[in-house]
Amino acid sequence: MDLSGHARARRSEVIDMCLRAPATLTFLIASLLAMTGCATATDTTGTSTAPTVSDGRSPTPDPTTPPGDGASDDSSPTPSAPPGAYVDYSDGLIEATTGTKALFFHASWCPQCRALDEALRAEGVPDGLTVFKVDYDSRTDLRQKYGVTLQTTIVFVDDAGEAISSTVLYDDPSVDSLVAAIP
């Protein structure tokens, strides 16, 4: 049997197994839905929440006017993150934040990503460095822009959001490795 015939036979076996076990099929569908739904944090009303610093506080006041509704208030402050913070990425934060900046491409299903996430929360971010947690699964635009193909990729960016350097911390997802990679 050739490789494609073997693959078709295996796929057929999996489909047969799923059809015989509705609970298994339900579990698989629920798992897939859970994996695709981790792009944005939502509150109990189903609306997106503001980016948060690792200690749970918001980096800046949440703007009351949602983007794209036609209203503009030039006096409202641009959201920014303080240096030394670990925040969820949102558009515009890089340009509004001072100091050294790094994008951490994180996937909730990746054990190494979770390890680095936990280390950043437990040990904190080095002084002067702001780490933006980017959802690996939903931000394909950023993955393409920075050439990211693996989760746990760290991309150091300048004030305009242009890449300076990048590294993959998959083998050693630690704050020490992050510090060693700072350009």
Side-chain angles (χ1 to χ4, degrees), residues 53 57 59-60 80-87 97-98 129-130:
V53 179
R57 58 190 166 84
T60 59
S80 66
Y86 179 41
V87 298
T97 302
T98 60
L129 174 66
T130 302

Side-chain angles (χ1 to χ4, degrees), residues 73-99:
D73 180 5
D74 292 338
S75 65
S76 64
T78 303
S80 66
Y86 179 41
V87 298
D88 291 330
Y89 175 87
S90 69
D91 294 330
L93 273 180
I94 291 173
E95 295 81 3
T97 302
T98 60

Side-chain angles (χ1 to χ4, degrees), residues 77-174:
T78 303
S80 66
Y86 179 41
V87 298
D88 291 330
Y89 175 87
S90 69
D91 294 330
L93 273 180
I94 291 173
E95 295 81 3
T97 302
T98 60
T100 305
K101 295 171 270 298
L103 301 175
F104 165 32
F105 285 84
H106 175 279
S108 61
W109 46 265
C110 166
Q112 289 80 358
C113 295
R114 289 192 307 264
L116 182 55
D117 179 69
E118 291 168 10
L120 286 167
R121 292 178 188 280
E123 299 172 35
V125 177
D127 290 338
L129 174 66
T130 302
V131 178
F132 298 94
K133 182 177 171 182
V134 178
D135 187 294
Y136 180 86
D137 295 312
S138 68
R139 294 309 303 252
T140 54
D141 59 326
L142 294 177
R143 285 184 13 221
Q144 185 174 32
K145 175 179 179 178
Y146 296 112
V148 173
T149 57
L150 294 171
Q151 62 279 6
T152 67
T153 298
I154 303 291
V155 179
F156 293 94
V157 295
D158 64 16
D159 291 338
E162 296 300 316
I164 298 170
S165 67
S166 67
T167 188
V168 178
L169 300 182
Y170 190 87
D171 292 329
D172 185 13
S174 66

Side-chain angles (χ1 to χ4, degrees), residues 4-46:
S4 63
H6 179 70
R8 278 191 292 263
R10 180 70 181 135
R11 183 176 59 202
S12 178
E13 290 172 13
V14 171
I15 291 170
D16 288 344
M17 179 184 72
C18 288
L19 291 175
R20 284 187 297 242
T24 303
L25 183 58
T26 302
F27 175 76
L28 289 173
I29 292 170
S31 297
L32 289 172
L33 289 174
M35 287 182 4
T36 60
C38 61
T40 308
T42 55
D43 63 17
T44 56
T45 65

